[in-house]
Structures are given as C-alpha cells and as structure tokens.
Amino acid sequence: MDWWRSFFRQESTHSRLIGVTALAALTLAITFVLPPVANSELAGGAAIAIVILGLSWLIGWSGQISLGNSGFMAVGAYAAGIWAHHHNTTPLVFTLALAIVAGGLSGLIIAIPSTRLRGPYLAGLTLAFAAAVTPIAQNFTSVTGGEGGIFLNSLVTPSWFGHLFSGANAVINANAQWTADLAVVVAAVSFFFMANLFHSRTGRAMRLVRDNDVAAELMGVDLLRTRSSAFMIAAAYAGLGGALYSLLEASVRPETFPLTLSITLLTLMVLGGIGTLSGAVIGGIIYSFSADLVAHVNSLTGVNPTSNLGANMQGIIFGVLLILTMMFAPRGLVSLRTPIQKLFRILRPRRQTPDLGELH
Amino acid sequence: MSAFLTSSLMHNIFGGLAQGVVYSLVALSLVIVWQSTHVLNFAQGAMAMFATYIGMTEIDRGIGYWWCVIISVAVGMIVGGLTERVLIRPLYGKPEINPIVVMVGFLGVLEALSAAIWTSSTRNIAEPFSQIFYHANGNLVYLSPFIIFQIILAICIMLLVAALFRFTRLGLQLRASALAPEVSRLLGIRVSRMLTIGWMLSAGVGAIAAVIQASGSFGLFPTNMDGIFVAGFIAAAVGGLESPIGAVAGGLLIGLAEQFILAYWSPNVAPLGGIIILVVALMIRPQGLFTKHAGRRV
C-alpha cells in the first residue's frame, strides 16, 4: 500500500503530474460512454470544480473566508465574454488567460482592504462585492448587454474530433463530448498547478500564516503579500471557472451569478472537504449531477417536481447538507473513512504522523 | 419653509433616512448578536424574512396589522432562540469559519423553504398608514404618513433596546456576560441563558426591520432582505460591530449615501456606494469608526 499512499500524498511534482493526468485520462475515457446530456453536465461540473478549488485554497490554506466567489466568476466571465463577442476568432486559450487576469485583478482590488480584515468582516466585504456585481452588470447595458447578457458563438468542435462519431446524432454527441473533454483538460491543468502550489514555499508560508500569523511574521513571511496573493489566486481560479462555464453555455448573463451561487460554491467546497484536491473533485461531481440528484430525491419522496417545494428542493437540500456537514464532519466527505480503509488500518497499524494540511 | 421642504435636497434626505432606519435596525440586531456570542449572523435577514412571512400572512385571516406585527416579532424571537440553542451552541470554541458557514447554510434553507411555502412572487402587505406623499403649495414633499411611521417606529425600537441594556437588571446581566463570561458565571449569572436571550432580542429587532421593509412599496418576497442585510452588515462594520450607536449611525449614513449617489451621481454605481464607504472606513479605522478600544484577539 505504500506506493498508493505516497501517490495520494503527492510528495513530488512527478507523482502529482501522474496523478492528475491519470484522473483526467480516466474522466476523458468516461466521456466516451456517457450520454450527451451527462457530458454537458460534466463540462459544467469541471468548470465549477476549478472555482471550488480556488475557494478551497483560500479558506483551507490561507484561512481567509470569501462569500464573493460568484462575483469573481462574473468578472472573469464578462471579461472573456466581452472579448469573445468582439473578437470571435481569438483562440480559446487566450480568452481564458484574459479571464484569469481579470479575475486575479478584481481579487487584488478586493484583497487590498481585505488583508487588514479578519473572519466576519472579510466574509461580509466579499458578500457585499458579490451583491454589487450583478446589479452593475445589469446597469451598464452598453458593455454587458444588461439583463439579456451577451450571446457568444458556441465552441467549435474540430473536424478531426467530429470524424470519430457516426450515426444519427453524431454532431450532437461530438459537440457535447468535445465541450466536456475541453473542460476536463482545463480543469486538469488548473488542478496540477494548485497541487504544486499546495506543496510550494508559498503554500507552506500560507499555512503558517493561517495557523499563527505572529510566528509567520517572525520567520520573515510578508503577511500582507501572502494574504493578498492567496486572494488573487482564488479570484483568478474563480475567473477562469466562470469564463469556462459561460463559454460552455455560449452566453454570459447576470442571472448565472446570483448571490446564492456563492452559497452553492461554499456548500460544495465544504461537502467535498476544505483544502483538498479530491474535495474539489467531489464538489464538482456533486454539482454536475445535482439536478439528477434532486430529481431523484423528489421522486423518492413523491414530491411533484413542478410544485413550489419541488422547484426549491435543491436549495433546501444544499442548505441542510452544508449545516450538517459543518456540524458533524467539518472536514468533508474526504474525511469519512470507508470500511475498507478501516480494515487496512486494523491489519497494518501505522505510526500516526501529524497531518499539517488538516484544518484545525 | 415649504419651499425648503419640497427641495430636492430634503427629498433625498427624507428618502435616505427612511431607508437608513431599516439598515440601522438590521445593523443593531447584528451588533447585539455579535456582542453576545461573537458570531456574525449571516442568516439575520432571512430569519427576519421568515418570521415576517409567518406573522404578516395572518392578515389574510382578518387579524389586525398590529397583532400580525406582534406575531412576527414573537416568531422571530423563538426562531432566534432556537437557532442559538441548536445551530450555534455546538460551535462555540470552534474556528470562526464554522458558525459563518453554518449560518450561510441556514440562510439558504430559509430562503428556499419560504419560496417553497409561500412562492417566490412578491406579496404586498396592507400598510397601516397611507403611502401617498404630502404636498406643500402643490409641490411634492418626500414624506408620507407611512415614512413618518417607519422612522418613528424604528427610533422607538432603538430607544427601547438602549433602555433595556442601560436601565434594567436583564440588560446589566447581558452586558456583563458579553464582557466577561467567566466572571459573570462566578457571580451567578446564567451566561448560557443570556446568550440565548441576546439572540432572541436580536432576532426580534431584525423582525421589526423586515416588517417595515415588507410593509413598504417593495413588498415581501423570499430574498427581500438580502440587499438589506448586506447594507445592514456594511453599516455595522463601519460602526465597528461592537457599538450599537455606531451601528445606528452607520445605517443612517449608508441610507443617505445610497440616496445621494442615486440622485446626484449615477444610478449605475449606486450598488457600489455601500462597498466604497465600507472600504474607505475600514482603511481609515479597521476596527470600525465607533469602537473605543483598538486591537484584536490573536
């Protein structure tokens, strides 16, 4: 089991690269068997997983809370959307890079006052930011398209990819799978960068700042710079995720980024597990199939999905899950040990090593 | 005099004050909870909205407006007390992120549940006073009986809360347990009961704010307190979260600032008004404009 453990502890860049590539390859393989609807859902989930990862980094590693990630998503999405609307031949990589820069800049602007704040003040300030973004997008009609938003050309499936498909629904299948594969690849690249960041000098400094900022300062860590860079990175991830999500949807609209999206993001992050890569993956998967999940709960409980209760079931379930997870398993689903893992523990008792990545 | 009353300056001052008192009440309720348990209650607005729904929909059954207000406040206090006992009590001593996350979850549950029970469409509540503006010499004065009522009601509630904390035995016990829980416990105050009472008081004040907001022209809908909560939080943070007077002043400031930005600058940037004030205020004094002692707990 040793190779297994060292693999999942991601002790070297090499193992991280192999791990992320393996997971991405597995997901890409799965997209070949999924129906087109599930592939579209998966694409959205991959985009959201990127945002969750940024939030996870911010809360789990730097100890700063943000309720404004839906706002950063909107900034990235509008930057990419406005650019793509006027220059629709730009390569996707460039558009996404623009979203990363725009998201990061907005994060930096929020970070400047934020780094002097703690816990509740910070949460409130970021919430106020997220609440302000949607009305601004609705008001500046000439740039953002107002209520209706901006419509974009849908992503072009390359012809070599289209040739892989045949049959009646070849085009639909190819398009759905291409968007899913694209999103998975972008997510894999961002996960790889974050995995390295977790174990870098900055990552270690960040944990020290989170646990004891006085000690960190004594050791020569620049608190202001460390805290604001954490914010900037989280916002850049949100910007990238938001842009990717909007490009997949082929439109940027204010109603994609309501305040409740911040709550959903927080729920998914807490559910998966704060400050872990696998937690963000789990969060993304739950997001992808949350509609199916809710429909399943509705049919199990016999609630009419078109009734008021059925339409609001998702909000109720997510809220209850967030409360229950935070109260009874604050480290999320990744912390729940399966019976098989417990069995291995009993068979091979190991020396307990302190896990620094743990949220205290 | 009448020319002065109908001027656009007074128009904006009245409008700003009318919205500002609602922000002040929300800020005040946030400060009460913050002082008693050091939790920033992100579900404050939603709890108040929920209580208002339960109380004010009783109007449909022919119960008078004032009885409905009383029911709303009572329901709000019960919800507040239960929330402290069930959701917040297990989290004392945990990292400060935990109660924030739990209350954000509670906010989501309450809004979804309200939309499920009462639908998300706007419900108008028969206001107790006319919303028709007064006239002076044929010109409009931005004051209606309802606006006067809402300002006076808010001021009465603030004075009541101030009197409770200042002059009653309960108020003294509440202040003591917020300031020094250990010593208070040794002196025989039931500190845990005081924490619950603090939450109940706060939720009651919040319910009044929601009743005023819902009775006005915006009506009642499940997310109607979202924006009010954000403004109320900004007001409380500008005042410093520790100071009830700061919270009230902050609320009036935010209300007036929003109105003036709307009138004299651009409606497009009005949503940013509060956040600009917050950032500027926090840059000048990170601990809030009205707190006496600087420094934070490490």
Side-chain angles (χ1 to χ4, degrees), chain A residues 84-278:
Chain A
H85 185 65
H86 294 293
H87 313 267
N88 53 18
T89 53
T90 319
L92 185 68
V93 177
F94 182 78
T95 316
L96 290 179
L98 192 73
I100 296 174
V101 172
L105 276 181
S106 68
L108 189 64
I109 293 168
I110 295 295
I112 291 166
S114 302
T115 45
R116 300 177 66 174
L117 308 176
R118 295 180 66 79
Y121 283 97
L122 187 54
L125 177 67
T126 52
L127 182 75
F129 166 72
V133 164
T134 336
I136 289 173
Q138 283 164 345
N139 285 345
F140 283 96
T141 316
S142 57
V143 189
T144 61
E147 286 290 350
I150 306 166
F151 286 91
L152 305 168
N153 296 333
S154 29
L155 296 171
V156 184
T157 311
S159 54
W160 62 266
F161 194 81
H163 289 318
L164 299 177
F165 295 84
S166 58
N169 296 322
V171 179
I172 296 172
N173 289 341
N175 286 345
Q177 197 188 325
W178 175 249
T179 53
D181 290 354
L182 200 68
V184 167
V185 170
V186 175
V189 173
S190 6
F191 271 67
F192 176 62
F193 273 107
M194 189 58 90
N196 283 325
L197 193 61
F198 278 178
H199 295 269
S200 70
R201 192 188 161 86
T202 319
R204 285 193 300 275
M206 206 66 78
R207 273 194 323 225
L208 188 57
V209 171
R210 179 197 73 196
D211 294 335
N212 192 336
D213 53 357
V214 179
E217 207 164 15
L218 287 174
M219 292 185 75
V221 176
D222 185 342
L223 289 189
L224 201 67
R225 214 176 62 193
T226 312
R227 286 211 176 109
S228 45
S229 65
F231 231 94
M232 213 171 84
I233 292 166
Y237 268 72
L240 172 63
L244 187 60
Y245 191 86
S246 301
L247 291 172
L248 297 173
E249 299 258 296
S251 68
V252 190
R253 283 168 300 159
E255 77 241 34
T256 316
F257 309 101
L259 214 50
T260 43
L261 181 61
S262 280
I263 301 179
T264 309
L265 289 170
L266 193 67
T267 311
L268 294 168
M269 194 268 298
V270 170
L271 263 182
I274 300 176
T276 60
L277 293 176
S278 38

Side-chain angles (χ1 to χ4, degrees), chain B residues 54-113:
Chain B
I54 293 184
M56 299 319 275
T57 47
E58 292 298 310
I59 285 186
D60 299 348
R61 295 197 202 163
I63 297 171
Y65 181 86
W66 293 105
W67 284 110
C68 293
V69 174
I70 291 169
I71 295 171
S72 300
V73 174
V75 170
M77 291 176 85
I78 293 167
V79 171
L82 281 178
T83 308
E84 197 274 337
R85 287 270 155 166
V86 178
L87 295 181
I88 297 298
R89 182 141 304 186
L91 298 177
Y92 291 143
K94 295 272 171 64
E96 60 187 358
I97 283 175
N98 295 27
I100 293 178
V101 172
V102 167
M103 291 324 281
V104 168
F106 194 41
L107 161 77
V109 172
L110 284 177
E111 286 188 351
L113 198 63

Side-chain angles (χ1 to χ4, degrees), chain A residues 59 63-65 67 110 112-113 116-125 127-132 135-136 139-141 212-214 227 259-260 262-263 266-267 270 274 308-310 312-316 318-320 322-323 326-327 330 359-360, chain B residues 34 40 42 86-88 90-91 94-102 104-109 111-113 115-120 226 229-230 233-234 236-237 240-242 267-269 271-272 275 278-279 282-284 286-288 296-298:
Chain A
I59 297 184
Q64 305 177 92
I65 192 161
L67 299 178
I110 295 295
I112 291 166
R116 300 177 66 174
L117 308 176
R118 295 180 66 79
Y121 283 97
L122 187 54
L125 177 67
L127 182 75
F129 166 72
I136 289 173
N139 285 345
F140 283 96
T141 316
N212 192 336
D213 53 357
V214 179
R227 286 211 176 109
L259 214 50
T260 43
S262 280
I263 301 179
L266 193 67
T267 311
V270 170
I274 300 176
N308 270 324
L309 181 59
N312 290 291
M313 195 55 104
Q314 178 166 349
I316 297 172
F318 271 31
V320 169
L322 182 57
I323 294 172
M326 204 68 225
M327 295 190 82
L359 193 77
H360 57 125
Chain B
W34 176 260
L40 181 62
F42 277 90
V86 178
L87 295 181
I88 297 298
L91 298 177
K94 295 272 171 64
E96 60 187 358
I97 283 175
N98 295 27
I100 293 178
V101 172
V102 167
V104 168
F106 194 41
L107 161 77
V109 172
E111 286 188 351
L113 198 63
I117 302 174
W118 295 289
T119 79
S120 42
D226 279 2
F229 169 78
V230 170
F233 161 76
I234 292 174
L241 281 185
E242 302 277 350
N268 290 350
V269 291
L272 274 182
I275 200 169
L278 178 62
V279 168
L282 290 173
M283 299 282 260
I284 301 167
Q287 69 275 34
R296 59 168 171 82
R297 290 169 182 81
V298 175

